[in-house]
């Protein structure tokens, strides 16, 4: 006997259709590139960043007097900072991310309006939920027979594409990316074996003017119970 299949109901809005919950307080866990992230690298130290010769010339002109510049806290390098995040919904179609390092605010818009305004350090970020596996048609009769009360829980990743930014630095010591760089991110969440909740942000910066090849990083965050450790420290304009 064949049972009819029914489509999975479409969520009313991006918040209702969130495949993972990214809201809350998070702290970055610096488990790679420790020296380059926890401290400002010395001038000319950009090992691991595939800079073009022209970009190396720009990076070599950096001086310690520029340390702390907001250029290091642009969208291309912000998630690599040792920072805390506050993430929450601003309405049903905008996910807001705040950082205490550099005191930056990003807004990921799921229904972006056409056109763009002035370029900013964080740019315009457009988000879309992507399922990890295709969602199969829901059959309520088979679900009931298996003891389920509704459609299976949605799971997936948040894909974010950012444009209209000003460019900035990939490291605190001036390794540059340009305003024409393409910035793609994937936000994922998973539980740890000890009960902790984790989030990763995989970032791909593509910038032929400054990078010989796309620059990939993966930054990790652990969820905190509250915002009691929030310590805002602004960057230098």
């Amino acid at each position: 006997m064949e049972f009819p299949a029914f489509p999975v109901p479409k969520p009313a809005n991006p918040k209702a259709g969130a495949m993972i919950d990214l809201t809350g307080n998070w702290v970055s866990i610096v488990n790679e590139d420790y020296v380059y992230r926890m401290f400002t690298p010395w001038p000319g130290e950009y090992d691991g960043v595939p800079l073009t010769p022209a970009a190396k010339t720009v990076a070599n002109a950096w001086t310690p007097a520029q340390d702390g510049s907001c250029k290091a806290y642009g969208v291309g390098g912000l998630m690599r900072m040792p920072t805390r995040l506050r993430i929450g919904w601003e309405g049903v179609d905008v996910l807001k991310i705040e950082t205490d390092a550099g005191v930056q605010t990003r807004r990921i818009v799921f229904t972006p309006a056409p056109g763009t305004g002035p370029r900013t350090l964080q740019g315009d970020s457009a988000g879309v939920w992507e399922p990890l596996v295709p969602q199969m048609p829901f059959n309520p009769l088979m679900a009931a027979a298996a003891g389920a009360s509704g459609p299976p829980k949605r799971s997936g990743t948040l894909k974010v594409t950012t444009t209209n930014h000003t460019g900035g630095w990939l490291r605190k010591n001036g390794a540059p990316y340009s305003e024409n760089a393409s910035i793609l991110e994937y936000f994922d969440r998973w539980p740890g074996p000890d009960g902790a909740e984790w989030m990763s942000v995989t970032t791909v910066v593509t910038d032929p003017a400054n990078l010989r090849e796309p620059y990939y990083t993966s930054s990790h965050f652990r969820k905190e119970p509250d915002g009691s450790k929030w310590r805002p420290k602004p960057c230098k304009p």
Side-chain angles (χ1 to χ4, degrees):
M1 178 179 180
E2 293 187 4
F3 295 96
F6 299 86
V8 177
K10 185 178 179 179
N13 52 61
K15 180 179 179 180
M19 294 182 173
I20 49 176
D21 182 12
L22 299 175
T23 62
N25 294 274
W26 303 83
V27 60
S28 58
I29 303 300
V30 183
N31 50 11
E32 62 178 8
D33 290 342
Y34 185 91
V35 173
Y36 301 142
R37 296 169 63 187
M38 294 301 296
F39 307 96
T40 300
W42 51 92
E45 176 51 67
Y46 35 71
D47 285 353
V49 184
L51 297 179
T52 62
K56 289 181 180 180
T57 299
V58 173
N60 288 337
W62 179 89
T63 66
Q66 297 171 276
D67 192 18
S69 168
C70 288
K71 290 184 179 181
Y73 297 85
V75 63
L78 184 62
M79 294 295 105
R80 294 296 279 173
M81 287 291 173
T83 187
R84 284 185 162 83
L85 307 178
R86 288 195 305 207
I87 304 180
W89 285 96
E90 198 173 70
V92 297
D93 62 352
V94 178
L95 192 64
K96 183 170 73 170
I97 302 176
E98 299 173 276
T99 72
D100 65 355
V103 190
Q104 297 296 307
T105 299
R106 296 186 59 190
R107 286 177 171 84
I108 299 172
V109 181
F110 288 81
T111 54
T116 56
R119 291 182 181 272
T120 63
L121 200 60
Q122 302 306 326
D124 297 331
S125 294
V128 61
W129 296 111
E130 289 196 342
L132 295 179
V133 295
Q135 189 85 28
M136 300 299 292
F138 173 59
N139 188 311
L141 299 177
M142 294 184 68
S149 59
K153 183 178 180 181
R154 292 158 59 88
S155 63
T157 184
L158 173 58
K159 177 182 177 181
V160 178
T161 303
T162 300
T163 57
N164 200 41
H165 55 81
T166 59
W169 298 344
L170 296 170
R171 283 189 182 161
K172 297 178 185 178
N173 64 344
Y177 65 94
S178 75
E179 65 179 22
N180 296 317
S182 168
I183 299 176
L184 176 65
E185 296 168 291
Y186 292 92
F187 289 71
D188 294 282
R189 175 177 171 165
W190 72 94
D194 58 352
E197 290 293 326
W198 290 82
M199 175 177 68
S200 67
V201 183
T202 302
T203 304
V204 185
V205 180
T206 304
D207 184 16
N210 290 291
L211 299 171
R212 292 178 283 103
E213 59 189 45
Y215 180 53
Y216 291 79
T217 57
S218 182
S219 307
H220 298 86
F221 299 83
R222 186 178 63 220
K223 194 166 190 181
E224 296 189 305
D226 52 46
S228 60
K229 296 181 180 179
W230 186 258
R231 301 288 187 272
K233 184 179 180 180
C235 56
K236 295 193 297 188

